[in-house]
Amino acid sequence: MSVETGQTDATSTTDTTDTGSVDRAEAFENRERPVSELDIERDRAAHEGGKAKHPHALASILGPAFVAAVAYVDPGNVAANITSGARYGYLLVWVLVLANAMSVLIQYQSAKLGIVTNKSLPELLGSRMSDAGRFMFFMQAEVIAIATDLAEVIGGAIALNLLFGLPLFIGGLIIGAVSTVVLWFQGETQTMFERIIIVMLLVITFGFIAGLFVAPPDLGEVAGGLVPRFEGTDSVLMAASILGATVMPHAIYLHSTLVNDHYEGGVKPTIKRQLKGSKIDVAWALLLAGTVNLAMLVLAANSLHGMTGTDSIDGAQRAISQVLGPVIGTIFSIGLLASSLSSTSVGTYAGSEIMHGLLRIKAPMWACRVVTLVPALIVLWFAKDPTEALVIGQVVLSIGIPFAVIPLMRYTHDKQLMGEYVDGTFKHVLFLIVVALIIALNVLLVFLTLTGRA
């Protein structure tokens, strides 16, 4: 017998440490603890080829947070920030700063969960639910994805209308087609997709801050906006809208996936090095997104304060063109177009990963694109004022936020799941306060909207 002679038959064991002839993927599939098909796919992708696609330099770890950050500069944020500045001047600057600080914590927690567990938040949710539970959770997440895409496609259609005079429905079709091409790059190589999104993010940044170079704001007034205060109940509602729109559910789900997909086909650095890189990645990406949001509010406060007709995206663009000139108005529209294309691509990517994790179905990206695009096209075809649909979409997004942030908070404080990287008491309490604040403000926003007070 092989046991008596001390010889080990490579075909009857899964120990890959004693022999180099056993295929890693086969050993992975035959391990004693049960593994999901997703685990096998990722293990194969991470080790096939024998050569790292990404060296362990810190710069190679950056990228995922910039993709997730696109959710913070979508057309819905554009509308909220412009409206806030035009109505209340610099009053709510502090709200944006607070919102950005909270987003840094939440997005890092999502990245941390993915890095430590090597699973996305949807995968972890799916592994802990019954079949019925997974399906119901997926349905609410899909509704959220549709509501997210609604704002992004409408924003892009408005941008094309402003730039080229295209009908909104035709503009929506073009946004859908171009975003599908962008998603094709994600299927080819994750790195290329990240680069495309980062370039678009830079275009967004230039498009939305260009006006500040033409009409620089008073820095003293901007600093004065950092003092927390309100002016009446309407400003409280506006603050709730800004904070409520800060955390996008699909960005939370997706970030935990991006940190693993980033190394597809390559070799990962250690967990500690990934976490270190992720902190920098999140800080830079959210700083950029926060700067863009702040620039939009300051631009509106400095140039549009007191003007009427700025409650809609197209109205705000016309006001900017009137005050700062048609060139700045055109640059703003280009930024809006880039915002739409990048955010709708990232939103569809998130929807695909949510389906993969919860239902264990790897649907083609184009199919996911169609599912979320069709409702937006219907709104563009039938709605007299598509901008009103953004209000409904924001309410739906608010309802979906607790389904993302509560599990994230629980999992990152789960010692069995996170091991030595589990959140300590202080960080968990801080995260709990942030989650409670976000949920409370979103409940307020939903209540005021449904009762007609918004």
Side-chain angles (χ1 to χ4, degrees), residues 127-151:
S127 66
R128 286 161 169 75
M129 290 181 175
S130 64
D131 290 344
R134 288 190 293 109
F135 179 76
M136 293 300 294
F137 199 98
F138 167 75
M139 290 304 296
Q140 69 82 25
E142 190 65 21
V143 171
I144 297 303
I146 291 173
T148 301
D149 212 36
L150 184 66

PDB file of all heavy atoms in Angstrom, residues 127-151:
ATOM      1  N   SER A 127     -24.707  33.620   0.157  1.00  0.00           N
ATOM      2  CA  SER A 127     -24.308  32.386   0.834  1.00  0.00           C
ATOM      3  C   SER A 127     -24.992  32.214   2.185  1.00  0.00           C
ATOM      4  O   SER A 127     -24.948  31.129   2.763  1.00  0.00           O
ATOM      5  CB  SER A 127     -22.789  32.380   1.035  1.00  0.00           C
ATOM      6  OG  SER A 127     -22.388  33.401   1.936  1.00  0.00           O
ATOM      7  N   ARG A 128     -25.633  33.267   2.681  1.00  0.00           N
ATOM      8  CA  ARG A 128     -26.266  33.211   3.987  1.00  0.00           C
ATOM      9  C   ARG A 128     -27.784  33.281   3.921  1.00  0.00           C
ATOM     10  O   ARG A 128     -28.447  33.417   4.945  1.00  0.00           O
ATOM     11  CB  ARG A 128     -25.754  34.379   4.855  1.00  0.00           C
ATOM     12  CG  ARG A 128     -24.338  34.168   5.348  1.00  0.00           C
ATOM     13  CD  ARG A 128     -23.688  35.463   5.799  1.00  0.00           C
ATOM     14  NE  ARG A 128     -22.440  35.220   6.509  1.00  0.00           N
ATOM     15  CZ  ARG A 128     -21.310  34.865   5.938  1.00  0.00           C
ATOM     16  NH1 ARG A 128     -21.267  34.699   4.615  1.00  0.00           N
ATOM     17  NH2 ARG A 128     -20.223  34.656   6.655  1.00  0.00           N
ATOM     18  N   MET A 129     -28.336  33.189   2.734  1.00  0.00           N
ATOM     19  CA  MET A 129     -29.787  33.301   2.558  1.00  0.00           C
ATOM     20  C   MET A 129     -30.359  32.032   1.945  1.00  0.00           C
ATOM     21  O   MET A 129     -29.660  31.286   1.257  1.00  0.00           O
ATOM     22  CB  MET A 129     -30.129  34.493   1.646  1.00  0.00           C
ATOM     23  CG  MET A 129     -29.874  35.853   2.241  1.00  0.00           C
ATOM     24  SD  MET A 129     -30.357  37.156   1.065  1.00  0.00           S
ATOM     25  CE  MET A 129     -30.090  38.606   2.058  1.00  0.00           C
ATOM     26  N   SER A 130     -31.636  31.839   2.173  1.00  0.00           N
ATOM     27  CA  SER A 130     -32.353  30.772   1.490  1.00  0.00           C
ATOM     28  C   SER A 130     -32.562  31.170   0.029  1.00  0.00           C
ATOM     29  O   SER A 130     -32.319  32.325  -0.355  1.00  0.00           O
ATOM     30  CB  SER A 130     -33.710  30.543   2.162  1.00  0.00           C
ATOM     31  OG  SER A 130     -34.532  31.700   2.028  1.00  0.00           O
ATOM     32  N   ASP A 131     -33.032  30.232  -0.770  1.00  0.00           N
ATOM     33  CA  ASP A 131     -33.275  30.539  -2.177  1.00  0.00           C
ATOM     34  C   ASP A 131     -34.296  31.665  -2.326  1.00  0.00           C
ATOM     35  O   ASP A 131     -34.114  32.579  -3.139  1.00  0.00           O
ATOM     36  CB  ASP A 131     -33.779  29.284  -2.905  1.00  0.00           C
ATOM     37  CG  ASP A 131     -32.680  28.239  -3.062  1.00  0.00           C
ATOM     38  OD1 ASP A 131     -31.500  28.598  -2.890  1.00  0.00           O
ATOM     39  OD2 ASP A 131     -33.008  27.069  -3.342  1.00  0.00           O
ATOM     40  N   ALA A 132     -35.361  31.602  -1.523  1.00  0.00           N
ATOM     41  CA  ALA A 132     -36.388  32.642  -1.587  1.00  0.00           C
ATOM     42  C   ALA A 132     -35.826  33.984  -1.141  1.00  0.00           C
ATOM     43  O   ALA A 132     -36.102  35.036  -1.740  1.00  0.00           O
ATOM     44  CB  ALA A 132     -37.581  32.257  -0.719  1.00  0.00           C
ATOM     45  N   GLY A 133     -35.001  33.959  -0.085  1.00  0.00           N
ATOM     46  CA  GLY A 133     -34.400  35.192   0.403  1.00  0.00           C
ATOM     47  C   GLY A 133     -33.469  35.822  -0.607  1.00  0.00           C
ATOM     48  O   GLY A 133     -33.470  37.044  -0.798  1.00  0.00           O
ATOM     49  N   ARG A 134     -32.672  34.988  -1.266  1.00  0.00           N
ATOM     50  CA  ARG A 134     -31.751  35.500  -2.284  1.00  0.00           C
ATOM     51  C   ARG A 134     -32.510  36.143  -3.430  1.00  0.00           C
ATOM     52  O   ARG A 134     -32.125  37.196  -3.935  1.00  0.00           O
ATOM     53  CB  ARG A 134     -30.853  34.379  -2.811  1.00  0.00           C
ATOM     54  CG  ARG A 134     -29.806  33.922  -1.818  1.00  0.00           C
ATOM     55  CD  ARG A 134     -28.780  32.976  -2.439  1.00  0.00           C
ATOM     56  NE  ARG A 134     -29.359  31.690  -2.816  1.00  0.00           N
ATOM     57  CZ  ARG A 134     -29.564  31.279  -4.045  1.00  0.00           C
ATOM     58  NH1 ARG A 134     -29.220  32.062  -5.059  1.00  0.00           N
ATOM     59  NH2 ARG A 134     -30.072  30.103  -4.294  1.00  0.00           N
ATOM     60  N   PHE A 135     -33.618  35.510  -3.829  1.00  0.00           N
ATOM     61  CA  PHE A 135     -34.398  36.051  -4.945  1.00  0.00           C
ATOM     62  C   PHE A 135     -35.042  37.382  -4.569  1.00  0.00           C
ATOM     63  O   PHE A 135     -35.008  38.341  -5.356  1.00  0.00           O
ATOM     64  CB  PHE A 135     -35.469  35.047  -5.367  1.00  0.00           C
ATOM     65  CG  PHE A 135     -36.339  35.543  -6.499  1.00  0.00           C
ATOM     66  CD1 PHE A 135     -35.847  35.544  -7.799  1.00  0.00           C
ATOM     67  CD2 PHE A 135     -37.612  36.024  -6.258  1.00  0.00           C
ATOM     68  CE1 PHE A 135     -36.637  36.011  -8.852  1.00  0.00           C
ATOM     69  CE2 PHE A 135     -38.409  36.486  -7.300  1.00  0.00           C
ATOM     70  CZ  PHE A 135     -37.916  36.476  -8.597  1.00  0.00           C
ATOM     71  N   MET A 136     -35.611  37.467  -3.363  1.00  0.00           N
ATOM     72  CA  MET A 136     -36.260  38.704  -2.938  1.00  0.00           C
ATOM     73  C   MET A 136     -35.241  39.828  -2.795  1.00  0.00           C
ATOM     74  O   MET A 136     -35.499  40.974  -3.179  1.00  0.00           O
ATOM     75  CB  MET A 136     -36.988  38.479  -1.608  1.00  0.00           C
ATOM     76  CG  MET A 136     -38.170  37.527  -1.696  1.00  0.00           C
ATOM     77  SD  MET A 136     -39.453  38.131  -2.849  1.00  0.00           S
ATOM     78  CE  MET A 136     -40.003  39.607  -1.982  1.00  0.00           C
ATOM     79  N   PHE A 137     -34.079  39.502  -2.253  1.00  0.00           N
ATOM     80  CA  PHE A 137     -33.046  40.522  -2.108  1.00  0.00           C
ATOM     81  C   PHE A 137     -32.570  40.991  -3.480  1.00  0.00           C
ATOM     82  O   PHE A 137     -32.342  42.188  -3.697  1.00  0.00           O
ATOM     83  CB  PHE A 137     -31.867  39.967  -1.304  1.00  0.00           C
ATOM     84  CG  PHE A 137     -30.984  41.038  -0.730  1.00  0.00           C
ATOM     85  CD1 PHE A 137     -31.125  41.441   0.581  1.00  0.00           C
ATOM     86  CD2 PHE A 137     -30.001  41.637  -1.507  1.00  0.00           C
ATOM     87  CE1 PHE A 137     -30.314  42.438   1.116  1.00  0.00           C
ATOM     88  CE2 PHE A 137     -29.184  42.627  -0.985  1.00  0.00           C
ATOM     89  CZ  PHE A 137     -29.343  43.023   0.328  1.00  0.00           C
ATOM     90  N   PHE A 138     -32.447  40.052  -4.411  1.00  0.00           N
ATOM     91  CA  PHE A 138     -32.042  40.427  -5.760  1.00  0.00           C
ATOM     92  C   PHE A 138     -33.065  41.347  -6.414  1.00  0.00           C
ATOM     93  O   PHE A 138     -32.691  42.314  -7.094  1.00  0.00           O
ATOM     94  CB  PHE A 138     -31.846  39.185  -6.625  1.00  0.00           C
ATOM     95  CG  PHE A 138     -31.730  39.508  -8.091  1.00  0.00           C
ATOM     96  CD1 PHE A 138     -30.571  40.066  -8.606  1.00  0.00           C
ATOM     97  CD2 PHE A 138     -32.801  39.270  -8.952  1.00  0.00           C
ATOM     98  CE1 PHE A 138     -30.472  40.383  -9.952  1.00  0.00           C
ATOM     99  CE2 PHE A 138     -32.706  39.590 -10.295  1.00  0.00           C
ATOM    100  CZ  PHE A 138     -31.539  40.142 -10.802  1.00  0.00           C
ATOM    101  N   MET A 139     -34.344  41.071  -6.200  1.00  0.00           N
ATOM    102  CA  MET A 139     -35.382  41.887  -6.828  1.00  0.00           C
ATOM    103  C   MET A 139     -35.313  43.338  -6.351  1.00  0.00           C
ATOM    104  O   MET A 139     -35.426  44.264  -7.155  1.00  0.00           O
ATOM    105  CB  MET A 139     -36.761  41.294  -6.538  1.00  0.00           C
ATOM    106  CG  MET A 139     -37.032  39.979  -7.264  1.00  0.00           C
ATOM    107  SD  MET A 139     -36.822  40.110  -9.070  1.00  0.00           S
ATOM    108  CE  MET A 139     -38.114  41.281  -9.487  1.00  0.00           C
ATOM    109  N   GLN A 140     -35.116  43.537  -5.033  1.00  0.00           N
ATOM    110  CA  GLN A 140     -35.018  44.917  -4.554  1.00  0.00           C
ATOM    111  C   GLN A 140     -33.744  45.578  -5.087  1.00  0.00           C
ATOM    112  O   GLN A 140     -33.748  46.761  -5.432  1.00  0.00           O
ATOM    113  CB  GLN A 140     -35.094  44.977  -3.024  1.00  0.00           C
ATOM    114  CG  GLN A 140     -33.927  44.414  -2.246  1.00  0.00           C
ATOM    115  CD  GLN A 140     -32.742  45.347  -2.104  1.00  0.00           C
ATOM    116  OE1 GLN A 140     -32.904  46.567  -2.175  1.00  0.00           O
ATOM    117  NE2 GLN A 140     -31.553  44.800  -1.928  1.00  0.00           N
ATOM    118  N   ALA A 141     -32.666  44.810  -5.188  1.00  0.00           N
ATOM    119  CA  ALA A 141     -31.423  45.360  -5.717  1.00  0.00           C
ATOM    120  C   ALA A 141     -31.571  45.714  -7.193  1.00  0.00           C
ATOM    121  O   ALA A 141     -30.995  46.709  -7.668  1.00  0.00           O
ATOM    122  CB  ALA A 141     -30.273  44.373  -5.517  1.00  0.00           C
ATOM    123  N   GLU A 142     -32.335  44.921  -7.929  1.00  0.00           N
ATOM    124  CA  GLU A 142     -32.548  45.199  -9.352  1.00  0.00           C
ATOM    125  C   GLU A 142     -33.395  46.458  -9.538  1.00  0.00           C
ATOM    126  O   GLU A 142     -33.147  47.255 -10.452  1.00  0.00           O
ATOM    127  CB  GLU A 142     -33.226  44.004 -10.016  1.00  0.00           C
ATOM    128  CG  GLU A 142     -33.270  44.081 -11.534  1.00  0.00           C
ATOM    129  CD  GLU A 142     -31.892  44.032 -12.171  1.00  0.00           C
ATOM    130  OE1 GLU A 142     -30.945  43.546 -11.526  1.00  0.00           O
ATOM    131  OE2 GLU A 142     -31.766  44.494 -13.321  1.00  0.00           O
ATOM    132  N   VAL A 143     -34.375  46.645  -8.666  1.00  0.00           N
ATOM    133  CA  VAL A 143     -35.171  47.879  -8.705  1.00  0.00           C
ATOM    134  C   VAL A 143     -34.271  49.083  -8.446  1.00  0.00           C
ATOM    135  O   VAL A 143     -34.404  50.137  -9.087  1.00  0.00           O
ATOM    136  CB  VAL A 143     -36.315  47.821  -7.678  1.00  0.00           C
ATOM    137  CG1 VAL A 143     -37.002  49.179  -7.558  1.00  0.00           C
ATOM    138  CG2 VAL A 143     -37.326  46.759  -8.079  1.00  0.00           C
ATOM    139  N   ILE A 144     -33.352  48.936  -7.501  1.00  0.00           N
ATOM    140  CA  ILE A 144     -32.397  50.002  -7.209  1.00  0.00           C
ATOM    141  C   ILE A 144     -31.535  50.288  -8.433  1.00  0.00           C
ATOM    142  O   ILE A 144     -31.256  51.444  -8.771  1.00  0.00           O
ATOM    143  CB  ILE A 144     -31.504  49.618  -6.011  1.00  0.00           C
ATOM    144  CG1 ILE A 144     -32.333  49.449  -4.744  1.00  0.00           C
ATOM    145  CG2 ILE A 144     -30.416  50.666  -5.803  1.00  0.00           C
ATOM    146  CD1 ILE A 144     -33.144  50.641  -4.362  1.00  0.00           C
ATOM    147  N   ALA A 145     -31.093  49.229  -9.110  1.00  0.00           N
ATOM    148  CA  ALA A 145     -30.263  49.402 -10.311  1.00  0.00           C
ATOM    149  C   ALA A 145     -31.023  50.151 -11.400  1.00  0.00           C
ATOM    150  O   ALA A 145     -30.471  51.017 -12.087  1.00  0.00           O
ATOM    151  CB  ALA A 145     -29.801  48.043 -10.826  1.00  0.00           C
ATOM    152  N   ILE A 146     -32.301  49.844 -11.543  1.00  0.00           N
ATOM    153  CA  ILE A 146     -33.129  50.523 -12.549  1.00  0.00           C
ATOM    154  C   ILE A 146     -33.299  51.991 -12.186  1.00  0.00           C
ATOM    155  O   ILE A 146     -33.203  52.880 -13.049  1.00  0.00           O
ATOM    156  CB  ILE A 146     -34.495  49.819 -12.665  1.00  0.00           C
ATOM    157  CG1 ILE A 146     -34.313  48.433 -13.307  1.00  0.00           C
ATOM    158  CG2 ILE A 146     -35.468  50.664 -13.485  1.00  0.00           C
ATOM    159  CD1 ILE A 146     -35.574  47.594 -13.308  1.00  0.00           C
ATOM    160  N   ALA A 147     -33.554  52.263 -10.899  1.00  0.00           N
ATOM    161  CA  ALA A 147     -33.721  53.646 -10.448  1.00  0.00           C
ATOM    162  C   ALA A 147     -32.426  54.433 -10.636  1.00  0.00           C
ATOM    163  O   ALA A 147     -32.443  55.616 -11.001  1.00  0.00           O
ATOM    164  CB  ALA A 147     -34.144  53.666  -8.984  1.00  0.00           C
ATOM    165  N   THR A 148     -31.300  53.787 -10.391  1.00  0.00           N
ATOM    166  CA  THR A 148     -30.004  54.437 -10.583  1.00  0.00           C
ATOM    167  C   THR A 148     -29.783  54.776 -12.044  1.00  0.00           C
ATOM    168  O   THR A 148     -29.381  55.895 -12.395  1.00  0.00           O
ATOM    169  CB  THR A 148     -28.866  53.517 -10.092  1.00  0.00           C
ATOM    170  OG1 THR A 148     -29.073  53.217  -8.713  1.00  0.00           O
ATOM    171  CG2 THR A 148     -27.520  54.180 -10.260  1.00  0.00           C
ATOM    172  N   ASP A 149     -30.044  53.814 -12.913  1.00  0.00           N
ATOM    173  CA  ASP A 149     -29.836  54.023 -14.346  1.00  0.00           C
ATOM    174  C   ASP A 149     -30.785  55.076 -14.905  1.00  0.00           C
ATOM    175  O   ASP A 149     -30.463  55.756 -15.879  1.00  0.00           O
ATOM    176  CB  ASP A 149     -30.018  52.697 -15.089  1.00  0.00           C
ATOM    177  CG  ASP A 149     -29.130  52.604 -16.310  1.00  0.00           C
ATOM    178  OD1 ASP A 149     -27.996  53.106 -16.251  1.00  0.00           O
ATOM    179  OD2 ASP A 149     -29.564  52.036 -17.322  1.00  0.00           O
ATOM    180  N   LEU A 150     -31.948  55.202 -14.293  1.00  0.00           N
ATOM    181  CA  LEU A 150     -32.926  56.186 -14.745  1.00  0.00           C
ATOM    182  C   LEU A 150     -32.318  57.583 -14.726  1.00  0.00           C
ATOM    183  O   LEU A 150     -32.376  58.322 -15.725  1.00  0.00           O
ATOM    184  CB  LEU A 150     -34.163  56.124 -13.838  1.00  0.00           C
ATOM    185  CG  LEU A 150     -35.343  57.027 -14.220  1.00  0.00           C
ATOM    186  CD1 LEU A 150     -35.942  56.579 -15.539  1.00  0.00           C
ATOM    187  CD2 LEU A 150     -36.398  56.993 -13.116  1.00  0.00           C
ATOM    188  N   ALA A 151     -31.723  57.954 -13.585  1.00  0.00           N
ATOM    189  CA  ALA A 151     -31.126  59.284 -13.469  1.00  0.00           C
ATOM    190  C   ALA A 151     -29.956  59.455 -14.427  1.00  0.00           C
ATOM    191  O   ALA A 151     -29.779  60.529 -15.028  1.00  0.00           O
ATOM    192  CB  ALA A 151     -30.667  59.511 -12.027  1.00  0.00           C
TER     193      ALA A 151
END
